[in-house]
Every structure is written in C-alpha cells, then in structure tokens.
C-alpha cells in the first residue's frame, strides 16, 4: 500500500471493489480517470460536490476513512511534518496540492471563524494515524554490540548502587534516638521472619521464567537491551533517593549499627560483597538504610512486566495462565516484603509505581515512532540511552519464538564433514 501514489485507474478501481465501493468503479475509473495520485489528494468536499457528488452520506464518510488510512500508509515511512516527509511527498507529486489546499482551508477558517464540520478537513489524516494502534517493527536488528553496552550500563549502575548501600548503612539513624516511623500496614501486621526469604524465592522463580523466555525468544537481544536500560535507570534513581533521605529502621528486629565501614577499602570490600550477592539475604547479604525505595519490589515488578509483555497474549500460544501466575507472584512478593517489616509501606508503593510507569513509558515511546521523535527532552532525562538503543526499532517487537539450539541432524552433519573431506 505504500506505493498507492503510483496506482493506475484500474488499480484504484480494484481498491474500491476491495473496500466494498464497487458501485463507484465506473465513476472513478472511466468518467473522471482517478488514479492513485489523484485519489490521495481527494477530500470530503471533493466527494460531496460536483463533479463526483456522491449522494449517500454513509458512503462518503466510509470512503473518506479509507482514503485517510491510505494516506497514512503512504506517509508511515516518515514522521509527520518532518523534512524527509515533505521531500518524499514533493518527489511523489502530491504534496503541493495538499499543502495549498490545507493552507487555503486554514486561512479561510481563521478569517471567517465558521463553525462548520469541514474546518479540519485536511488535518484528520494525522489524527487517524496517531490514534491507530502501533504496528510491528519492520527493522529488528539484533545489534549485539548495543546489548553489550546495555549490559555495561546496568553493570556499572549495580556497582554504584552497592557502594551507595554501604554509604547509607554508615548513615543509618540511631534506633534509640530515632524509633521506627508510624506505618499503618506495619503497625497492624505481625512480623513474619521467613517472609523476606519467601519474597526472594519468588524473585528467583520469576527470574528463571524470564531467562527461559529470553532463550527462546527470536528477538532476545532487543529484549535484553530494554531490560538493561530500564533496570539500570530505575536503580540509578534509587541511588539518588537513598542518598537524599536517610530513614530510621522500619522495625526493631533490624539490628543496624552505623559507622561500620569507615575505611575506603572496607567500603570497597563490602561493596563487592553486596554486588556479588545481588543484595539478597539468601546470599548472606544484610543491609540497612536502603529504604527509599524497595529494590526487591523493583526486581519482581519489572520481571513480571517483562514476562507479560514478551509472551503471547492471544492466539494458539496464549500465556494467560502464565500472566496470572506472574501477577499473583508479584502481589505476594510485595506482601511478603511488608510482612517481613523490611521496608515501610511507602517504599514498596513508590517502587511499584516508578517501576511500572517507567516500563510503560519506555514501551509507549518505543512502540510509537511519532512519540519517540516528538518527546525528546523528557526522554533524555528518564532514558539517556533510549535513542541509541531503539534507533533501529520503529514499532512493536513481535513475540516470535524459535529453537535456539542446533538440531541433531546439524550436529551429525558437522561431525561428518571432516570424514567426507578426508575421503
């Protein structure tokens, strides 16, 4: 459909028949000789007034919607109002007529300020294009080297986070002077000693599921890049919030003492312990002071969102029960964090909100090319590497899966080749 401007009159007639307007084939093809280029310049006024003068209002509206869709498809290769789009339409030969009509129509409406329904006659093509659901991307290059850079970004952020956790541990307020703050949830739920380990078990299970999805997903390197970018950015924000405000411990069972790592080498050693243990108590890592906001909530929430986003939602391989399982695991994980009295309720709420919003914001931008090009300033703040990582993606990454390992026949053929050469 992207070459509709090159259609002949016969192809326009075929298009009319395909869209259930066969009664107008003779009118368009023989009487008025409307080819593809002319079709793309038609407006609702052209359909209403002579010489076409269609008599059925429903046909006029439906045909105009089909023309809008056709215009959008011809225009989808370039962002609206970009220099490339203007040059493209000039080269195709129908830009000048649309531009002159639009200019005439807008100046006419500005001067007379009439409230007619045709004021935006030459603008709805953009509206219909922006309201349509994003399409699958046509450019899905693996770009493994970008994935490696994403890994280095996340790796560096985790190291910085581990060091900040050591710093805030030294700044933890004295529990005798600063008792736990009032918290509606923690004050009414009894302390459960095993709950925090249960939350980490859930995180390990979700991480295993996500690893399996990555192994069999056809576009695994794009998914990894996005995971590194989002997780790294969220944990970088967490470093800032931890440094800004030091909260008192949320429960008396947490025996925290500040000023434990005075020497820089002691801090570096403790940083490596936290990093290698991934900050998990299952690995023997216990930290204090890193309360704003919950890193465990960030982890299980993002794992849940990535699993539900990149597994099929409909069709033959619908993963409905898997999605329900991950959401239930996410909610139970959050409950266990609170039941363990390891974080204030506000820590968990903020962690869930920031993680989910940044995930959705990233994917809305990545799946919609026009938003990606328009929202540059905020994107540079929240996702510094977004433009770099998503430069080759212009739509939704489809959930396509493949067997990543070589087949038995391929392995046997590999071992047979040397013997064949010797013979």
């Amino acid at each position: 459909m992207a070459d509709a401007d090159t259609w002949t009159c016969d192809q326009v007639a075929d298009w009319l028949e395909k869209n259930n307007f066969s009664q107008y084939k003779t009118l368009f093809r023989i009487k008025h000789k409307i080819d593809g280029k002319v079709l793309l310049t038609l407006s609702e006024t052209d359909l209403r007034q002579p010489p076409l003068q269609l008599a059925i209002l429903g046909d006029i509206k439906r045909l105009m919607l089909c023309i809008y869709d056709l215009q959008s498809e011809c225009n989808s290769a370039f962002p609206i109002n970009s220099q490339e789009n203007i040059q493209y339409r000039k080269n195709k030969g129908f830009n000048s007529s649309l531009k002159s009509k639009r200019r005439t129509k807008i100046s006419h409406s500005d001067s007379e300020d009439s409230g007619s329904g045709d004021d935006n006659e030459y603008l709805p093509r953009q509206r219909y294009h922006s309201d349509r659901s994003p399409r699958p991307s046509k450019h899905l290059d693996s770009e493994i080297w970008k994935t490696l850079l994403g890994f280095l970004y996340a790796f560096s952020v985790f190291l910085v986070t581990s060091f900040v956790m050591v710093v805030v541990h030294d700044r933890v307020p004295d529990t005798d002077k600063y008792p736990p703050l009032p918290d509606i949830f923690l004050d009414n739920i009894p302390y459960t000693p095993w709950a925090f380990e249960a939350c980490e078990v859930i995180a390990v299970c979700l991480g295993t599921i996500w690893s399996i999805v990555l192994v069999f997903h056809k576009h695994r390197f794009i998914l990894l890049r996005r995971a590194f970018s989002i997780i790294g950015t969220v944990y970088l924000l967490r470093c800032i919030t931890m440094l800004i405000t030091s909260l008192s411990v949320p429960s008396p069972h947490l025996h925290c003492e500040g000023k434990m790592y005075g020497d820089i080498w002691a801090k570096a050693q403790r940083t490596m312990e936290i990093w290698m243990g991934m900050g998990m108590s299952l690995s023997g890592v216990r930290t204090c002071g890193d309360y704003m906001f919950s890193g465990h909530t960030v982890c299980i929430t993002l794992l849940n969102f990535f699993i539900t986003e990149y597994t099929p939602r409909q069709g033959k391989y619908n993963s409905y029960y898997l999605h329900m399982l991950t959401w239930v695991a996410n909610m139970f994980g959050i409950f266990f964090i609170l039941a363990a009295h390891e974080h204030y309720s506000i820590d968990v709420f903020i962690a869930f909100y920031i993680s989910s919003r940044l995930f959705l914001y990233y994917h809305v931008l990545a799946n919609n090319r026009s938003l990606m090009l328009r929202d540059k300033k905020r994107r540079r703040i929240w996702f510094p590497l977004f433009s770099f990582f998503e430069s080759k993606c212009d739509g939704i990454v489809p959930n396509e899966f493949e067997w990543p390992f070589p087949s038995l026949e391929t392995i046997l053929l590999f071992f047979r080749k040397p013997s064949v050469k010797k013979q």
Side-chain angles (χ1 to χ4, degrees), residues 59-301:
D59 286 351
I60 294 173
K61 294 294 184 180
R62 282 187 290 271
L63 182 55
M64 204 61 232
L65 288 175
C66 292
I67 294 174
Y68 288 148
D69 290 341
L70 199 61
Q71 290 173 340
S72 297
E73 290 174 5
C74 289
N75 202 31
S76 61
F78 297 98
I80 296 173
N81 293 333
S82 68
Q83 293 298 324
E84 293 87 349
N85 179 29
I86 294 173
Q87 187 62 40
Y88 171 80
R89 300 187 67 85
K90 283 182 179 179
N91 294 337
K92 293 300 183 180
F94 54 85
N95 179 67
S96 56
S97 59
L98 280 178
K99 186 185 292 186
S100 61
K101 285 185 178 182
R102 189 181 296 113
R103 188 185 300 116
T104 304
K105 189 66 183 180
I106 293 175
S107 61
H108 178 73
S109 61
D110 289 342
S111 59
E112 296 184 3
D113 195 23
S114 61
S116 65
D118 291 334
D119 285 346
N120 296 325
E121 181 178 348
Y122 302 101
L123 301 177
R125 177 171 57 83
Q126 299 181 11
R127 183 179 70 248
Y128 277 92
H129 179 69
S130 61
D131 289 345
R132 293 162 67 173
S133 58
R135 300 175 181 176
S137 177
K138 297 180 181 178
H139 306 285
L140 293 171
D141 297 335
S142 296
E143 296 183 294
I144 301 176
W145 64 280
K146 286 188 179 180
T147 304
L148 292 176
L149 290 178
F151 169 77
L152 292 176
Y153 170 65
F155 177 86
S156 303
V157 170
F158 288 150
L159 275 179
V160 172
T161 301
S162 301
F163 180 75
V164 171
M165 290 170 72
V166 175
V167 173
V168 297
H169 190 120
D170 275 354
R171 294 172 51 193
V172 66
D174 185 6
T175 54
D176 295 332
K177 188 175 180 180
Y178 300 98
L181 300 173
D183 189 288
I184 293 178
F185 193 94
L186 300 186
D187 293 344
N188 292 280
I189 297 297
Y191 164 61
T192 307
W194 51 266
F196 201 58
E197 284 74 14
C199 169
E200 293 184 344
V201 170
I202 289 175
V204 171
C205 293
L206 291 177
T208 303
I209 296 173
W210 174 236
S211 299
I212 295 173
V213 172
L214 285 174
V215 169
F216 292 99
H217 203 286
K218 185 177 180 180
H219 310 291
R220 58 188 68 87
F221 292 105
I222 297 177
L223 273 56
L224 272 173
R225 276 204 304 274
R226 293 182 174 183
F228 290 145
S229 178
I230 295 174
I231 292 174
T233 301
V234 175
Y235 274 88
L236 197 58
L237 292 173
R238 183 169 179 260
C239 291
I240 298 173
T241 58
M242 285 192 295
L243 280 173
I244 291 175
T245 304
S246 295
L247 299 178
S248 57
V249 294
S251 177
H253 83 278
L254 297 172
H255 303 289
C256 298
E257 297 180 2
K259 307 301 181 183
M260 293 179 61
Y261 312 108
D263 183 70
I264 185 63
W265 296 111
K267 284 185 171 66
Q269 183 179 0
R270 180 58 177 167
T271 297
M272 294 305 299
E273 291 176 1
I274 295 174
W275 178 77
M276 295 180 65
M278 300 180 67
M280 300 177 65
S281 59
L282 291 177
S283 304
V285 177
R286 300 293 299 184
T287 59
C288 291
D290 54 327
Y291 300 129
M292 183 63 72
F293 44 89
S294 170
H296 284 68
T297 304
V298 168
C299 181
I300 60 176
T301 300

Side-chain angles (χ1 to χ4, degrees), residues 6 33-34 38-39 127 154 167 226 234 242 258 263 285 294 303 320 360 368 383 413:
T6 63
K33 302 186 183 301
I34 295 178
V38 175
L39 179 67
R127 183 179 70 248
V167 173
R226 293 182 174 183
V234 175
M242 285 192 295
D263 183 70
V285 177
S294 170
L303 286 172
Y320 172 79
L360 295 175
N368 195 316
F383 302 109
L413 183 62

